Amino acid sequence: MNWNLRYLSAVSEACANATITPVPGCATGADFHNLHSTLYHDVQLAWTDAFRLTGLKVEAGVNNLFGTNPPVCYSCTLNGYGAGTYDLPGAFWNVRATFKF
């Protein structure tokens, strides 16, 4: 089992870069909006020689286990969040099986 934590610290954005003001957190273009810090939990499980088959490995995992949503960003151009910094909203599951013979 592997459990990873990914922490992104808080960031301030200039409200002058927002397309319109006022918006919540940006009363005027001279203000700064604080995007709160974010903690993502990623979990991965692996089973080697699964089902008593030598060489079979089964893995399952999830990124963003608790579905943490990214903070709202008013100056970002993609759906109100910084896609280069934060994960998409929601959890992402994966499963993989490999067989070596």
Side-chain angles (χ1 to χ4, degrees), residues 65-99:
L65 177 65
F66 301 115
T68 302
N69 288 323
V72 174
C73 174
Y74 298 119
S75 62
C76 298
T77 58
L78 182 63
N79 298 326
Y81 80 100
T85 306
Y86 301 98
D87 285 0
L88 289 168
F92 294 89
W93 296 85
N94 61 76
V95 177
R96 176 172 53 181
T98 56
F99 186 73

Side-chain angles (χ1 to χ4, degrees), residues 23-46:
V23 291
C26 285
T28 69
D31 294 332
F32 285 88
H33 175 241
N34 185 38
L35 283 69
H36 60 79
S37 61
T38 305
L39 181 64
Y40 294 113
H41 296 259
D42 302 333
V43 178
Q44 181 81 27
L45 299 171

